[in-house]
Amino acid sequence: GSEQSLRKWRIAFYCDKSTVNTNRRVTILDTTLRDGEQTPGVSFTLEQKIEIAHQLSDIGVDVIEAGFPASSDVEFETVKRICAEEGIRPKICGLARSVKADVDRCIEAGVDMVHVFIPTSEIQRTYTIKKSHAEVLAITREIITYARSKCDYVMFSPMDATRTEPSELIEICKAADEAGTTIINIPDTVGVSTPSMIKPLIAMIRENVKCKIDVHCHNDFGLATANTIAAVEGGADQIQVTVNGIGERAGNADLAQTVMILKSIYGIETNIRTEKLVETSRMVSRFSQIAVLPIQPVVGENAFSHESGIHSHGVMANPGTFEPGIMTPEMVGHRRRLKLGKHVGKHAVRQMLEDINVNPSDPELDMIVAKVKEISGRGRKVTEFDLFEIAKIITGSH
Ligand code: KIV
Ligand code: ZN
């Protein structure tokens, strides 16, 4: 409708023209079960992993990274169970270091896609695998050729890509492409990229390889979601995310935020059934025991809550006044809530009372509002139940 054409107009006016591409789709690789489980303190049980895998399937992710089979026998058995599970539609991916034994372990577990990685930045090459660029290049060619001989789908990650010398990164990506990788993932392993750095980086890789490009952003500076979106602007075909943004250190790009930014602001579709985002967030919060902040975008308790009189009055007349409008609570499986507090207005209180069939007179309403403001002004929380009790006393109703 008109909001959509306004949005396109705004994007065309402010952004790089390459961003405006109406028919684009982006696929989603969810790594909640792999990078997400690497969150310090998080450990899912087998049953929880299977339940999460079904949920990810139901909401429409394209690829599930189920784990790192070579890391332990328990991990191997878990990935194997997920691969064997009936009714899971996405491709199942397993992580592997660039050694044949790791690739073999993924194949034995029954994955659809092997994700091989190798450090490419000087600091990681030197201090983790003690290899030169030339050696990494040779290993890349060999391992991709091997993995492709065992599996139709191979993803290759030059780890720490954003801190890798650009000419070396291009050389390695070209080698992986020539050796037959299906997709190259560009990881911002320690989250040091910015949107204006990663967009041209992805565009540069795009110019040098034929295969698809994916991106995996960490949140060390709080830029994981912004960088992921910028990577899509630069031409990424697939993005890696986790539910609630869990993952190593400060986590990864958040599924709900990235999908809704692409859908609502850019008009770029994914296969995600967005109305299940809140439900998915709650499940992973429960299993990971990591609480979602009330102010968390999209899925947080307050994402569509209004307390101030001006805002509540506005959204009662038209929700688009003080909400994005292009993203509604219904779109993400949320509810709009009017909250009680010291900024509450008369219209919101009247609406809340009418919803429970209490119809105070104007002077009674003034007294009810004054009481709510007085209690919350003392720093106390006022619930809808408290409001009902206050109204009962003031109106003399039962
Ligand atoms: O952050 C990272 O670089 C990773 C790789 C395994 C892709 O998680
Ligand atoms: Zn990672």
Side-chain angles (χ1 to χ4, degrees):
S2 65
E3 179 49 44
Q4 235 188 5
S5 49
L6 260 177
R7 187 195 65 217
K8 277 184 201 151
W9 176 84
R10 277 197 303 269
I11 287 182
F13 188 84
Y14 292 116
C15 301
D16 186 322
K17 298 289 172 288
S18 64
T19 310
V20 190
N21 185 348
T22 45
N23 295 323
R24 238 176 114 187
R25 283 188 96 81
V26 165
T27 56
I28 305 289
L29 181 150
D30 183 283
T31 183
T32 304
L33 297 178
R34 200 277 300 168
D35 211 317
E37 214 206 14
Q38 288 173 222
T39 310
V42 170
S43 171
F44 299 122
T45 65
L46 174 64
E47 290 70 29
Q48 288 172 338
K49 284 194 174 181
I50 291 172
E51 220 180 300
I52 292 172
H54 277 288
Q55 182 74 13
L56 294 172
S57 175
D58 287 350
I59 69 166
V61 311
D62 301 277
V63 185
I64 294 174
E65 186 164 51
F68 184 1
S71 66
S72 72
D73 289 345
V74 174
E75 182 81 351
F76 172 81
E77 289 302 332
T78 307
V79 176
K80 195 172 166 187
R81 264 299 301 277
I82 295 171
C83 291
E85 187 71 11
E86 293 279 314
I88 294 181
R89 187 202 47 83
K91 283 195 174 57
I92 304 297
C93 167
L95 184 66
R97 286 165 298 188
S98 289
V99 292
K100 290 180 180 168
D102 278 25
V103 173
D104 293 345
R105 215 56 182 141
C106 283
I107 302 301
E108 283 159 31
V111 304
D112 303 299
M113 176 187 272
V114 180
H115 175 192
V116 285
F117 72 98
I118 190 160
T120 54
S121 65
E122 192 183 353
I123 186 167
Q124 287 204 355
R125 275 196 286 100
T126 312
Y127 291 95
T128 65
I129 52 170
K130 300 184 176 56
K131 299 259 186 270
S132 67
H133 165 64
E135 287 170 311
V136 167
L137 193 61
I139 296 169
T140 300
R141 284 204 184 93
E142 200 191 342
I143 199 72
I144 301 292
T145 308
Y146 181 74
R148 270 309 307 275
S149 74
K150 302 271 170 180
C151 191
D152 286 344
Y153 299 98
V154 172
M155 177 160 67
F156 171 70
S157 288
M159 190 157 77
D160 208 9
T162 52
R163 290 195 300 179
T164 301
E165 208 277 301
S167 63
E168 294 184 357
L169 180 63
I170 291 179
E171 210 178 345
I172 288 172
C173 288
K174 275 182 157 172
D177 189 36
E178 281 159 18
T181 192
T182 322
I183 186 162
I184 291 177
N185 172 45
I186 300 297
D188 184 22
T189 303
V190 291
V192 290
S193 194
T194 69
S196 54
M197 277 161 66
I198 205 161
K199 179 176 169 178
L201 167 57
I202 298 294
M204 176 185 83
I205 306 286
R206 168 95 292 156
E207 279 184 13
N208 283 281
V209 299
K210 300 178 303 304
C211 67
K212 292 197 179 229
I213 299 173
D214 173 280
V215 70
H216 172 107
C217 296
H218 276 277
N219 205 29
D220 298 68
F221 285 94
L223 286 173
T225 296
N227 286 336
T228 303
I229 299 298
V232 172
E233 286 193 15
D237 306 284
Q238 178 165 286
I239 58 175
Q240 298 201 1
V241 293
T242 61
V243 179
N244 298 337
I246 63 172
E248 289 268 13
R249 304 178 311 283
N252 292 71
D254 176 87
L255 167 73
Q257 290 167 30
T258 46
V259 165
M260 292 315 294
I261 293 168
L262 291 176
K263 181 183 180 69
S264 296
I265 301 179
Y266 287 76
I268 295 176
E269 287 298 334
T270 62
N271 293 320
I272 299 295
R273 293 171 60 195
T274 60
E275 66 281 5
K276 287 184 163 259
L277 286 172
V278 168
E279 173 186 304
T280 308
S281 159
R282 289 192 181 148
M283 173 190 282
V284 171
S285 174
R286 201 156 27 94
F287 292 167
S288 62
Q289 298 186 36
I290 294 186
V292 170
L293 284 179
I295 55 168
Q296 173 107 342
V298 185
V299 297
E301 164 80 13
N302 290 357
F304 300 92
S305 292
H306 308 274
E307 182 189 301
S308 89
I310 295 170
H311 285 212
S312 301
H313 191 201
V315 293
M316 282 160 66
N318 179 341
T321 50
F322 289 100
E323 284 176 13
I326 48 176
M327 172 174 73
T328 64
E330 294 74 24
M331 282 166 81
V332 301
H334 219 320
R335 262 194 324 124
R336 179 170 301 111
R337 293 184 181 89
L338 301 179
K339 292 270 183 159
L340 294 159
K342 68 176 173 188
H343 305 110
V344 77
K346 265 206 274 202
H347 295 89
V349 173
R350 184 181 291 288
Q351 179 68 58
M352 287 163 107
L353 289 171
E354 277 176 10
D355 288 349
I356 49 169
N357 277 328
V358 177
N359 297 291
S361 65
D362 284 348
E364 284 170 346
L365 183 63
D366 286 341
M367 285 163 70
I368 296 167
V369 172
K371 191 72 191 164
V372 170
K373 288 187 184 230
E374 184 220 308
I375 299 172
S376 39
R378 284 189 267 122
R380 300 269 302 278
K381 194 172 171 190
V382 185
T383 65
E384 287 180 32
F385 182 75
D386 298 329
L387 173 69
F388 182 53
E389 289 297 308
I390 295 166
K392 229 167 49 176
I393 294 164
I394 289 175
T395 62
S397 64
H398 299 285

